[in-house]
């Protein structure tokens, strides 16, 4: 099932994509994705019944698509999790997963614009597989970790490289507004037979920049969950983005940073395509701007 968050006739809703049409979750189910996921398997089964019954359909073209999780409670990334990316950076393979936080206000949807801010032109892309937590959990063994994943989506871990290097935590360089594209939807875990064998490609305009496979991850999705939940409780709607393969702009010669007018497209096998144009940050986003 492909789950979507969208806005239709002024209201945020949840639904499932079926052949370019949306089946709304309806009045008896939660109308936001966090609550829908927290409702668990019964909510998913109820939505499946609506699909099977041939209920109401809304054309995908008639809605405003939102990020599947418009405001995650946690949005965590993993650095240096692909061997070829470690190779291009010249850094050592980490002994433990390198987690960092992206502030959830950076999240945007498929089709929304990535902004190049006035304080830096060193804006880079990172195509990544992300998974979304479906159950509140702590101390999850690796062999049970698949049970707490609601589904998978695509993340562009947009990074402002000079700001990333200002502090060891990377937080500011990872958290600029619009620098967390997620989507286009959430593919439920039962639809992905093996999340650790999916092709991952990133284009900037028509140039293929990244061409990897999730099999190359050093720490897989289940190991990441087991490691994280030794420390913190994960909750429905938390998003963990699992790292990027080689081919990032900062390692190109000359540098391949994003420029206004370009488009970034990330495609992951079994999920779909996440595409975002790049714009100079509009004036109304500037600090102190009126309105």
């Amino acid at each position: 099932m492909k789950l979507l968050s969208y806005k239709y006739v002024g209201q945020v809703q949840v639904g499932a994509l079926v052949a370019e049409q949306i089946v709304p979750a309806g009045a008896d189910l939660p109308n936001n994705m966090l609550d829908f996921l927290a409702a668990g398997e019964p909510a998913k089964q109820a939505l499946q019944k609506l699909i099977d019954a041939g209920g109401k359909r809304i054309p995908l073209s008639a809605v405003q698509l939102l990020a599947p999780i418009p405001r995650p409670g946690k949005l965590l990334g993993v650095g240096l999790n692909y061997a070829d990316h470690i190779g291009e950076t010249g850094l050592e393979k980490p002994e433990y997963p390198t987690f960092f936080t992206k502030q959830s206000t950076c999240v945007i949807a498929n089709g929304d614009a990535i902004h190049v801010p006035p304080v830096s032109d060193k804006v880079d892309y990172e195509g990544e597989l992300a998974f979304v937590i479906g159950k509140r959990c702590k101390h999850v063994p690796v062999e049970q970790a698949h049970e707490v994943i609601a589904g998978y989506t695509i993340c562009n871990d947009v990074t402002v490289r000079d700001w990333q290097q200002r502090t060891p935590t990377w937080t500011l360089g990872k958290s600029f507004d619009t620098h967390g594209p997620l989507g286009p939807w959430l593919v439920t875990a039962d639809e992905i037979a093996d999340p650790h064998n999916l092709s991952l490609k990133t284009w900037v305009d028509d140039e293929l920049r990244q061409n990897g496979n999730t099999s190359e991850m050093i720490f897989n999705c289940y190991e990441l969950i087991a490691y994280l939940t030794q420390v913190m409780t994960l909750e429905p709607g938390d998003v963990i983005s699992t790292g990027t393969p080689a081919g990032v702009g900062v390692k190109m010669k000359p540098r391949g940073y994003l420029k206004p007018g370009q488009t970034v497209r990330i495609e992951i096998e079994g999920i779909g395509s996440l595409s975002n144009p790049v714009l100079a940050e509009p004036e109304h986003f500037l600090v102190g701007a009126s309105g």
Side-chain angles (χ1 to χ4, degrees), residues 126-166:
E126 295 189 12
E128 305 193 3
L129 173 70
F131 60 85
V132 178
I133 297 298
K135 298 178 181 179
R136 194 170 189 271
C137 57
K138 182 82 185 287
H139 297 301
V140 182
V142 171
E143 59 272 14
Q144 294 179 326
H146 66 281
E147 298 174 4
V148 305
I149 296 177
Y152 299 88
T153 190
I154 304 171
C155 178
N156 189 348
D157 177 22
V158 181
T159 305
V160 182
R161 294 299 182 190
D162 50 346
W163 281 69
Q164 178 189 13
Q165 297 306 319
R166 291 185 180 188

Side-chain angles (χ1 to χ4, degrees), residues 110-132:
N110 180 66
D112 289 345
I114 296 167
H115 294 166
V116 176
V119 294
S120 178
D121 60 359
K122 297 176 175 60
V123 178
D124 210 347
Y125 54 86
E126 295 189 12
E128 305 193 3
L129 173 70
F131 60 85
V132 178

Side-chain angles (χ1 to χ4, degrees), residues 11-40:
Q11 294 185 328
V12 175
Q13 301 179 30
V14 172
L17 183 66
V18 179
E20 297 303 306
Q21 293 186 312
I22 298 173
V23 178
D28 294 333
L29 291 171
N31 62 2
N32 70 81
M33 192 66 77
L34 290 180
D35 289 343
F36 184 89
L37 295 178

Side-chain angles (χ1 to χ4, degrees), residues 17-288:
L17 183 66
V18 179
E20 297 303 306
Q21 293 186 312
I22 298 173
V23 178
D28 294 333
L29 291 171
N31 62 2
N32 70 81
M33 192 66 77
L34 290 180
D35 289 343
F36 184 89
L37 295 178
E41 191 63 23
K44 182 181 169 186
Q45 291 175 358
L47 181 53
Q48 185 62 55
K49 287 181 180 179
L50 293 174
I51 295 171
D52 296 341
K56 178 181 178 182
R57 299 288 198 273
I58 302 171
L60 181 60
S61 59
V63 309
Q64 177 190 347
L65 196 62
L66 306 176
I69 312 292
R71 187 63 67 87
K74 302 182 191 69
L75 176 54
L76 300 173
V78 184
L80 303 175
N81 200 30
Y82 280 73
D84 59 353
H85 179 49
I86 292 173
E88 71 177 352
T89 64
L91 298 172
E92 295 292 324
K93 177 181 175 180
E95 183 178 359
Y96 305 104
T98 302
F99 280 102
F100 57 86
T101 296
K102 289 177 76 77
Q103 300 304 302
S104 62
T105 46
C106 76
V107 172
I108 59 173
N110 180 66
D112 289 345
I114 296 167
H115 294 166
V116 176
V119 294
S120 178
D121 60 359
K122 297 176 175 60
V123 178
D124 210 347
Y125 54 86
E126 295 189 12
E128 305 193 3
L129 173 70
F131 60 85
V132 178
I133 297 298
K135 298 178 181 179
R136 194 170 189 271
C137 57
K138 182 82 185 287
H139 297 301
V140 182
V142 171
E143 59 272 14
Q144 294 179 326
H146 66 281
E147 298 174 4
V148 305
I149 296 177
Y152 299 88
T153 190
I154 304 171
C155 178
N156 189 348
D157 177 22
V158 181
T159 305
V160 182
R161 294 299 182 190
D162 50 346
W163 281 69
Q164 178 189 13
Q165 297 306 319
R166 291 185 180 188
T167 59
T169 63
W170 301 351
T171 301
L172 292 184
K174 294 286 189 175
S175 297
F176 276 69
D177 289 346
T178 77
H179 288 190
L182 286 178
W185 37 66
L186 177 65
V187 179
T188 54
D190 58 295
E191 297 272 339
I192 304 294
D194 183 2
H196 307 121
N197 187 24
L198 304 174
S199 67
L200 188 163
K201 298 179 180 180
T202 302
W203 288 265
V204 176
D205 292 334
D206 295 326
E207 181 183 4
L208 180 63
R209 296 279 186 94
Q210 294 182 292
N211 188 0
N213 190 287
T214 58
S215 62
E216 302 161 12
M217 286 194 288
I218 295 169
F219 303 102
N220 69 35
C221 299
Y222 308 149
E223 292 166 337
L224 294 174
I225 289 171
Y227 189 74
L228 270 178
T229 59
Q230 293 178 81
V231 176
M232 67 185 71
T233 300
L234 295 179
E235 299 176 306
D238 287 348
V239 177
I240 293 89
S241 199
T242 59
T244 200
V248 293
V250 68
K251 293 303 174 183
M252 296 176 64
K253 295 181 180 179
R255 306 288 196 202
Y257 294 131
L258 297 175
K259 298 177 176 61
Q262 293 181 322
T263 298
V264 187
R265 179 167 60 91
I266 303 165
E267 185 176 290
I268 297 182
E269 180 182 1
I271 298 177
S273 178
L274 174 67
S275 181
N276 299 90
V278 182
L279 300 177
E281 185 176 273
E283 286 188 10
H284 68 271
F285 274 82
L286 299 180
V287 173

